[in-house]
Amino acid sequence: MKGGEKQCGKVDKLKPIIAIISLQFGYAGMYIITMVSFKHGMNHWVLATYRHVVATIVMAPFALILERKIRPKMTWPLFLRILALGILEPLMDQNFYYIGMKATSATYSSAFVNALPAVTFIMAVIFRLETVNLKKIRSLAKVIGTAITVGGAMVMTLYKGPAIELIKAAHTSIHGGSSSEATDQHWVMGTLALMASIISWAGFFILQSFTLKKYPAELSLVMWICGMGTILNTAASLVMVRDLSAWKIGMDSGTLAAVYSGVVCSGMAYYIQSIVIRERGPVFTTSFSPMCMIITAFLGALVLAEKIHLGSIIGAGLIVFGLYSVVWGKAKDEVISTTEEKIGMQELPITNIISTDGGGIPCEPNKGVTNSI
């Protein structure tokens, strides 16, 4: 019986890890599909709008039916938090990232995205969602692991090294020359946009963690965030996009990108992240973000016949090591927390129990009778 309980416990601990890693595959697929749609002229403001329209339509029925009995009542403080969540991720993060990528380069932008775990960790420490005691090995593991993870991602993006061609490309890669042009690029403005993107995304995870404590209905929260993202992106798109033809929908890569990113990377991603944040916290959730770059590199080689460079392999090794360090530190935190709870329960004050003498007559403890526990 105990063996079965231990096995179930191990499976439960693996579930968040498997869910977040699966999510990185989803993000990698979105990256490839979205790049194809941009190549065909898709506007990123319009894509962000359609993405959240799809996510809202898909998630609303599940939220309205499955959580109709447990959905908390909407209040003004909750509404303002949801509004802030909609501003932080669906509006600011997604659009600032594309603005920064267009102003700089794809490589430079990727380097900033992989700073997400570090920024989230710093924010979590500031808002006391994570505790750091540098005298403890587990805290050092989280700090050092975060630094190594970011370092590995930087190696992947800033150091190429010799190319290792997994699949011989018969045609030019779809990404070829997409970010090599350096003329008329506003690097300072692009850097500021990328910084805003990462800070917004990290802030979204932190605020989502606080909001789930007040609104513990994940599907409903996702529905509200996607709905708010639809409204905000529509308003922004109407201002920023004057060409009505950009809103045209057809059987093309733009529609595929909107549907795929809406279902997988907005609807499902927000829901999975909500559950993992509630169980493990925002730092654990974002620690796996750099893995998307590894998956994208290999998917790019297999699907788009791109080359993998030595720097990517070295960076991938560092990222895996850094992630293991962070996960190990978080696991030790959970073990310590569980142990302290058990000790606290064992040390509960014991009340005196009235015992009886041989004749069944109750005797007070202070009259020479030993207390029984």
Side-chain angles (χ1 to χ4, degrees), residues 45-246:
W45 292 101
V46 176
L47 176 60
T49 302
Y50 283 149
R51 167 177 173 171
H52 289 93
V53 169
V54 172
T56 305
I57 294 173
V58 171
M59 299 304 295
F62 293 99
L64 295 174
I65 295 173
L66 299 178
E67 293 183 344
R68 64 183 183 278
K69 295 182 179 180
I70 64 172
R71 187 184 306 110
K73 184 180 179 180
M74 180 59 64
T75 61
W76 272 109
L78 277 174
F79 176 79
L80 292 176
R81 288 193 180 194
I82 292 171
L83 175 61
L85 288 169
I87 293 173
L88 285 172
E89 212 287 324
L91 180 65
M92 292 180 62
D93 168 45
Q94 292 178 23
N95 289 294
F96 270 132
Y97 175 76
Y98 291 125
I99 292 172
M101 182 174 63
K102 290 178 180 179
T104 57
S105 69
T107 300
Y108 193 77
S109 302
S110 299
F112 265 85
V113 168
N114 288 288
L116 177 63
V119 176
T120 306
F121 181 75
I122 294 170
M123 282 191 174
V125 172
I126 293 173
F127 290 100
R128 298 182 180 181
L129 291 174
E130 287 285 332
T131 56
V132 175
N133 184 357
L134 295 179
K135 295 180 181 179
K136 302 292 184 182
I137 296 178
R138 63 181 185 274
S139 291
L140 279 174
K142 291 189 290 185
V143 174
I144 295 173
T146 300
I148 292 175
T149 299
V150 175
M154 296 293 286
V155 169
M156 285 188 69
T157 55
L158 302 179
Y159 170 68
K160 285 187 176 181
I164 301 172
E165 195 171 10
L166 296 181
I167 299 176
K168 297 230 173 187
H171 303 283
T172 303
S173 171
I174 195 167
H175 294 286
S178 63
S179 59
S180 61
E181 297 180 2
T183 58
D184 298 327
Q185 290 183 339
H186 304 287
W187 287 87
V188 175
M189 186 64 68
T191 300
L192 292 175
L194 290 170
M195 289 176 62
S197 171
I198 299 306
I199 293 172
S200 298
W201 201 0
F204 172 80
F205 282 115
I206 299 298
L207 182 57
Q208 189 179 24
S209 178
F210 284 113
T211 305
L212 285 168
K213 296 176 182 178
K214 301 289 185 181
Y215 198 86
E218 291 85 1
L219 287 170
S220 298
L221 183 61
V222 170
M223 177 188 69
W224 283 112
I225 293 173
C226 292
M228 192 63 68
T230 300
I231 296 171
L232 293 171
N233 276 295
T234 300
S237 298
L238 291 174
V239 175
M240 302 302 296
V241 182
R242 302 299 176 86
D243 185 9
L244 295 179
S245 63

